[in-house]
C-alpha cells in the first residue's frame, strides 16, 4: 500500500513539474516572441519603414522633425555582407579636407537623428557620412540587432570611404545603440587603417546588461528566466544573441583611441556603464567625459561647447 502511495505521489510530482516546465517554456515562447517583434522588428505599423513599436510609442511621427544640414550632399549605397541594401548620405564641407566622420544614430532612429551632430562636424571642416543602419530609414532589414550586425556594416562603410578617399582620416561617432555599434566596429580586424578614433556617446556595456537593468530597475521584475527566454527568441527570430552585442568585450580589444561621453542624468543607460566601459578599455588612448545634467542622448545639446571642444582636442593628434 505504501509503495502505491509513494508511486502516486512521485507521479503527481513529476506530472506537475512537467506541466510547469511546459507552461514556463510556452509562456516564454510567446512573451519572448512578442518582445522581439515589439522591440526589434520594424515595419509593424502602417508604414514599411516605421521603427519598432517600442520606439514608435515614445516618438510618434509628428515628433520626428530634424533640420537637414545645408551643405552639398549625395546619396551612397552599399550591400551588406548578408545582402541588404544600405543607404547613407555624404555631406561635403565648404573647404577641401581629408577629415571624415561617420555619425551613427541610435535605436529606432534614422540618419536624420544624426544631422545635428553632423552639422557641427561640417562646421569643423569634416566630410560627414550619416548612414541609415540596417532596419532603419531607407536601408533594408527587418530586425535591429542592438549593434551586433550594425557594427559589421559600419566597418564596411569605413572601408568604402577608404577605397574612394585613400587619404581620409576617419572618426567613428555613435550615440546610444550607435555608440555600441562604433565601439564594436573599433575592435574589428577588418577596419581599415584610415579609421583613427572612436567617439561613443551614452553607449551600454552590452544589450543583455541594458535589458537586465531595465527589467529590474524600471519594472521590478527578476532577470531570470525572462532574459534567458528573450535571448532564446532573439536567436531564433532575429538571428543574433543579446550576448553578441557586447561593447564591454569589444573595448578590451579596440585598435582605436576612444572618447567616452555620458550624461549624468541618463536613466535609460546608467552613467556607471560609461565608467565600466572606460575602465575595461585597452585602447591606445582613452578619455571619459560626463556632461552635467544631460539625459539620455542629449549631451551634445546640453553643453554643446564642451561636447565638441572635447572632441576636437581628443582627435587633433590623429588628424595631422
Amino acid at each position: 500500500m505504501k509503495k502505491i502511495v509513494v508511486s502516486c505521489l512521485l507521479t503527481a510530482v513529476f506530472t506537475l513539474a512537467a506541466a510547469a516546465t511546459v507552461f514556463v517554456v510556452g509562456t516564454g515562447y510567446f512573451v519572448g516572441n512578442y518582445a522581439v517583434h515589439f522591440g526589434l522588428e520594424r515595419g509593424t505599423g502602417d508604414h514599411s519603414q516605421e521603427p519598432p513599436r517600442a520606439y514608435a510609442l515614445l516618438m510618434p511621427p509628428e515628433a520626428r522633425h530634424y533640420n537637414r544640414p545645408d551643405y552639398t550632399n549625395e546619396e551612397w549605397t552599399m550591400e551588406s555582407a548578408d545582402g541588404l541594401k544600405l543607404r547613407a548620405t555624404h555631406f561635403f564641407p565648404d573647404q577641401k579636407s581629408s577629415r571624415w566622420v561617420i555619425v551613427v544614430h541610435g535605436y529606432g532612429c534614422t540618419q536624420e537623428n544624426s544631422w545635428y551632430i553632423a552639422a557641427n562636424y561640417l562646421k569643423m571642416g569634416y566630410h560627414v557620412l550619416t548612414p541609415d543602419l540596417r532596419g532603419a530609414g531607407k536601408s533594408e532589414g527587418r530586425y535591429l540587432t542592438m549593434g551586433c550586425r550594425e557594427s559589421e556594416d559600419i566597418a564596411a562603410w569605413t572601408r568604402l570611404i577608404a577605397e574612394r578617399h585613400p587619404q581620409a582620416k576617419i572618426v567613428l561617432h555613435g550615440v546610444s545603440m550607435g555608440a555600441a555599434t562604433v565601439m564594436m566596429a573599433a575592435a574589428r580586424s577588418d577596419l581599415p587603417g584610415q579609421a583613427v578614433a572612436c567617439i561613443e556617446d551614452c553607449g551600454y556595456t552590452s544589450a543583455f546588461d541594458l535589458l537586465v537593468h531595465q527589467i529590474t530597475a524600471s519594472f521590478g521584475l527578476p532577470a531570470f528566466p525572462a532574459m534567458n527566454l528573450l535571448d532564446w527568441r532573439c536567436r531564433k527570430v532575429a538571428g543574433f544573441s543579446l550576448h553578441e552585442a557586447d561593447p564591454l568585450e569589444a573595448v578590451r580589444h579596440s585598435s582605436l583611441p576612444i572618447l567616452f561621453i555620458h550624461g549624468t542624468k541618463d536613466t535609460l543607460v546608467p552613467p556607471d556603464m560609461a565608467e565600466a566601459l572606460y575602465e575595461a578599455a585597452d585602447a591606445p588612448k582613452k578619455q571619459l567625459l560626463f556632461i552635467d545634467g544631460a539625459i539620455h542622448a542629449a549631451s551634445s545639446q546640453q553643453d554643446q561647447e564642451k561636447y565638441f571642444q572635447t572632441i576636437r582636442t581628443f582627435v587633433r593628434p590623429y588628424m595631422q
Side-chain angles (χ1 to χ4, degrees):
M1 184 64 179
K2 288 183 179 179
K3 290 182 179 180
I4 294 174
V5 172
V6 171
S7 177
C8 289
L9 287 172
L10 289 173
T11 300
V13 169
F14 284 126
T15 299
L16 288 171
T21 300
V22 169
F23 175 78
V24 169
V25 172
T27 301
Y29 177 88
F30 289 108
V31 172
N33 268 8
Y34 177 80
V36 170
H37 292 303
F38 183 75
L40 298 177
E41 184 183 19
R42 71 106 165 243
T44 53
D46 296 331
H47 196 285
S48 62
Q49 294 181 351
E50 184 72 0
R53 281 175 287 175
Y55 179 84
L57 288 175
L58 297 173
M59 189 69 68
E62 61 270 16
R64 304 171 205 161
H65 299 294
Y66 310 98
N67 294 321
R68 186 185 184 90
D70 188 19
Y71 287 79
T72 302
N73 60 85
E74 63 184 2
E75 185 178 88
W76 284 19
T77 61
M78 178 187 71
E79 186 173 298
S80 69
D82 53 350
L84 298 177
K85 188 174 184 179
L86 306 177
R87 298 181 183 273
T89 303
H90 167 213
F91 291 94
F92 294 79
D94 290 332
Q95 66 266 37
K96 186 177 180 180
S97 175
S98 62
R99 290 176 289 180
W100 282 75
V101 61
I102 303 177
V103 184
V104 186
H105 66 77
Y107 166 85
C109 302
T110 70
Q111 63 168 290
E112 295 182 18
N113 296 77
S114 303
W115 286 350
Y116 172 76
I117 290 175
N120 281 275
Y121 274 106
L122 286 160
K123 291 175 184 176
M124 293 190 285
Y126 280 72
H127 290 266
V128 182
L129 191 73
T130 57
D132 280 327
L133 293 176
R134 59 173 56 214
K138 295 180 180 179
S139 290
E140 294 180 344
R142 184 176 177 184
Y143 293 101
L144 284 63
T145 68
M146 301 302 289
C148 180
R149 303 286 176 261
E150 291 86 350
S151 62
E152 301 172 8
D153 302 334
I154 292 303
W157 282 120
T158 310
R159 292 195 300 272
L160 186 58
I161 294 174
E163 290 168 10
R164 295 182 179 182
H165 303 274
Q167 302 305 313
K169 299 180 186 301
I170 308 167
V171 174
L172 307 182
H173 185 138
V175 179
S176 192
M177 191 185 86
T181 298
V182 298
M183 282 187 279
M184 286 186 280
R188 293 184 60 85
S189 61
D190 57 355
L191 198 66
Q194 285 84 350
V196 297
C198 176
I199 313 297
E200 79 84 20
D201 179 350
C202 65
Y204 39 82
T205 51
S206 77
F208 195 92
D209 291 344
L210 175 64
L211 293 174
V212 166
H213 168 74
Q214 291 300 320
I215 286 175
T216 55
S218 299
F219 298 103
L221 300 174
F224 179 83
M227 284 301 304
N228 304 75
L229 294 168
L230 176 57
D231 187 55
W232 168 48
R233 297 317 302 161
C234 269
R235 286 183 274 115
K236 295 296 183 181
V237 177
F240 81 105
S241 169
L242 294 170
H243 293 287
E244 291 181 85
D246 191 352
L248 187 67
E249 181 61 25
V251 298
R252 294 190 174 107
H253 309 284
S254 177
S255 62
L256 302 185
I258 305 177
L259 171 59
F260 301 89
I261 304 175
H262 218 97
T264 61
K265 297 296 185 182
D266 192 335
T267 56
L268 181 62
V269 179
D272 60 10
M273 284 194 174
E275 294 176 337
L277 287 163
Y278 176 79
E279 291 298 326
D282 191 24
K285 179 184 176 182
K286 61 183 180 179
Q287 182 179 342
L288 176 59
L289 170 67
F290 283 115
I291 300 294
D292 290 339
I295 60 174
H296 186 68
S299 290
S300 61
Q301 298 176 54
Q302 176 71 18
D303 193 337
Q304 178 181 348
E305 183 177 353
K306 185 176 185 179
Y307 187 94
F308 289 103
Q309 181 57 51
T310 302
I311 290 172
R312 282 194 293 268
T313 301
F314 185 82
V315 303
R316 186 175 293 127
Y318 314 108
M319 289 297 168
Q320 305 303 321

